[in-house]
Amino acid sequence: MRDFTGSVHRPGDAGYDEARRAWNRAVDPRPALVAEALTPQDVRCAVLEARTKEMPLTVQATGHGTLADVPGALLLRTGDLDHVFVDPFRREVSVGAGAVWSDVIAAAAPYGLAPLSGTPWIGVSGYTLGGGAGYLSRKYGLAADSLLGATIVTADGELVEARDELLWALKGGSGNFGVVTELTLRLFPAERVVAGRSFHPGERAQEVLAAFEELEQPDELNAAVLLMPGMVGLRVLAVEGGERALAPLLKAAGDPLRGGFAEMSFQEAGDVLGPRHDPAPVAHGFELFHRLPPLEGVFGEVRRWGGAMAHGEGPAGHRDVPFSVISSEPVDLPGRTGGAFLNFLVDTSRTADAYTRADYERLVELKKLHDPDNLFRPSHLIGS
Ligand SMILES: Cc1cc2nc3c(=O)[nH]c(=O)nc-3n(C[C@H](O)[C@H](O)[C@H](O)COP(=O)(O)OP(=O)(O)OC[C@H]3O[C@@H](n4cnc5c(N)ncnc54)[C@H](O)[C@@H]3O)c2cc1C
């Protein structure tokens, strides 16, 4: 590939199998070409190559959100574009397309700042472009809404600053509009937090869910209920005393079998709440609810949305829905709204469900404008 400075792998090459693989082992991508970008100019070369050869282009930072194989694709890997520059005075961070959250968390921590990250091992780009619901999101909003700017390679191979409607589309529209080479994100104060996971006897599950549904949850408290065989768990991250609101939930849960909550740094909390996993298949169900459905026999995680996530200018998500259930496998639960959140949506036939109708229609128009030939093929393709 002309002027491309990174490695390139074709089927049959020694490095092809390693380079094509996604973290999500439910898919087994077999692209026609894998290109590992070292610079933004490499990204331009790859986009122009795909365009000239009429190949669809897919992007992978970590492969956590890779949900589909695109036959004949040029797979562009961005993992080496992983610089992180923190500006503590502006409370902003500029992040290369291939960085993972743990890089950003570590760079921001010395200044008492934190990004709106969730699981620390996820790629900043895929997470942010897909909405980004993190541990501080009830207090400060979705990561997508903290996006201040983006440098992006467009379908005609130009490297531009995304502005106006294009920047809006990136705040939840995934990789449909170009390949991002750098993101600028807002950082937030979060030095000390109270965090942890506690695990309780499974027979308490229904009481815990009832208490969770009625909980007066301040924006300073991010709590989720974990439903496991024989156990019910609580996963908590609180700032500014938000943990005090946990009392009814702890009363319903009773004494823990193990685990608990403690004061720690935001960086430590990431490791406690989202320990690193080996690559695995991603095949869960995800649904939104106004009231919690009966959840006997369902394993997974119940989250409460709202807080600052209810406001924000980007197209990500359904701002008025309070609860979600991530189930270990898709289940038909009564009362689901039919909506979804892109980052947790595994079913790629339901992409439109991740947006309000008005936002989806606007995204479809922007996709036609910025990528009329569907060069960019993220797993969640807008407009088809
Ligand atoms: C174990 C696990 C934990 C998770 N925890 C959370 C969580 O706490 N909160 C949350 O909101 N989500 C969470 N997710 C979902 C996660 O945010 C999505 O899977 C996201 O897409 C992963 O991004 P990635 O860059 O790591 O993955 P990748 O598979 O590398 O990328 C995913 C998609 O993002 C797009 N993309 C990536 N880089 C670029 C780029 N440079 N330019 C344009 N498009 C790009 C592409 O369309 C790509 O297909 C979790 C997922 C897993 C598997």
Side-chain angles (χ1 to χ4, degrees):
M1 203 172 16
R2 230 179 107 218
D3 299 331
F4 191 86
T5 62
S7 307
V8 172
H9 314 273
R10 292 186 171 76
D13 290 352
Y16 174 79
D17 275 337
E18 188 51 37
R20 71 182 175 80
R21 210 161 268 151
W23 187 94
N24 172 17
R25 290 296 155 85
V27 282
D28 189 23
R30 294 189 176 273
L33 190 70
V34 186
E36 301 187 74
L38 296 179
T39 66
Q41 287 306 323
D42 281 349
V43 175
R44 285 194 64 219
C45 291
V47 169
L48 288 170
E49 174 81 2
R51 190 189 160 100
T52 310
K53 301 264 171 70
E54 297 186 355
M55 299 161 83
L57 187 122
T58 59
V59 183
Q60 228 185 81
T62 72
H64 280 81
T66 301
L67 304 170
D69 184 21
V70 179
L74 188 162
L75 166 60
L76 180 63
R77 299 219 55 145
T78 57
D80 289 323
L81 298 169
D82 60 354
H83 66 266
V84 177
F85 298 129
V86 172
D87 183 336
F89 300 104
R90 297 172 77 100
R91 293 188 172 179
E92 293 175 12
V93 63
S94 296
V95 184
V100 297
W101 280 119
S102 56
D103 301 333
V104 181
I105 295 166
Y111 307 103
L113 298 172
L116 297 181
S117 52
T119 312
W121 319 111
I122 300 293
V124 174
S125 299
Y127 171 100
T128 302
L129 301 178
Y135 301 127
L136 296 170
S137 288
R138 279 187 53 83
K139 175 78 176 161
Y140 296 117
L142 295 174
D145 291 319
S146 77
L147 182 63
L148 299 169
T151 313
I152 184 168
V153 176
T154 59
D156 50 12
E158 295 298 317
L159 186 67
V160 302
E161 287 301 312
R163 298 196 195 290
D164 305 323
E165 288 277 277
L166 180 55
L167 185 58
W168 176 84
L170 296 179
K171 297 180 180 189
S174 187
N176 279 283
F177 304 96
V179 184
V180 166
T181 60
E182 186 181 77
L183 300 171
T184 302
L185 296 157
R186 200 179 291 290
L187 294 171
F188 300 86
E191 213 157 347
R192 304 298 292 172
V193 302
V194 171
R197 297 188 298 173
S198 65
F199 300 93
H200 308 259
E203 53 267 26
R204 295 287 188 137
Q206 298 315 314
E207 276 168 81
V208 169
L209 287 168
F212 188 61
E213 188 163 23
E214 300 307 324
L215 191 68
E216 302 238 346
Q217 194 168 331
D219 294 356
E220 289 72 23
L221 175 62
N222 179 316
V225 176
L226 312 174
L227 301 170
M228 292 162 291
M231 275 197 297
V232 59
L234 300 175
R235 192 189 61 215
V236 167
L237 187 142
V239 292
E240 299 167 23
E243 68 277 10
R244 287 194 286 272
L246 276 174
L249 209 49
L250 296 176
K251 188 169 173 226
D255 290 336
L257 299 168
R258 61 183 169 88
F261 314 112
E263 193 183 314
M264 60 186 80
S265 68
F266 183 76
Q267 194 172 7
E268 288 164 331
D271 297 333
V272 170
L273 301 182
R276 193 193 277 268
H277 290 295
D278 288 335
V282 177
H284 55 250
F286 178 87
E287 298 293 349
L288 292 168
F289 299 87
H290 287 288
R291 301 285 306 179
L292 285 182
L295 289 167
E296 287 92 4
V298 174
F299 302 122
E301 180 187 310
V302 183
R303 288 189 179 207
R304 188 192 286 254
W305 296 68
M309 286 182 281
H311 318 286
E313 58 161 31
H318 296 267
R319 308 279 180 171
D320 59 341
V321 183
F323 297 108
S324 71
V325 175
I326 299 177
S327 47
S328 54
E329 58 189 62
V331 272
D332 191 10
L333 294 167
R336 61 197 167 91
T337 66
F341 185 72
L342 201 76
N343 270 356
F344 295 124
L345 184 61
V346 174
D347 181 349
T348 55
S349 70
R350 288 187 55 196
T351 304
D353 293 351
Y355 308 96
T356 64
R357 182 186 285 231
D359 282 345
Y360 189 67
E361 283 171 4
R362 198 168 155 196
L363 288 169
V364 170
E365 289 309 310
L366 288 166
K367 176 76 172 168
K368 281 188 206 152
L369 184 67
H370 291 282
D371 185 21
D373 300 324
N374 267 343
L375 175 69
F376 301 118
R377 298 285 184 89
S379 300
H380 283 295
L381 189 61
I382 302 249
S384 51

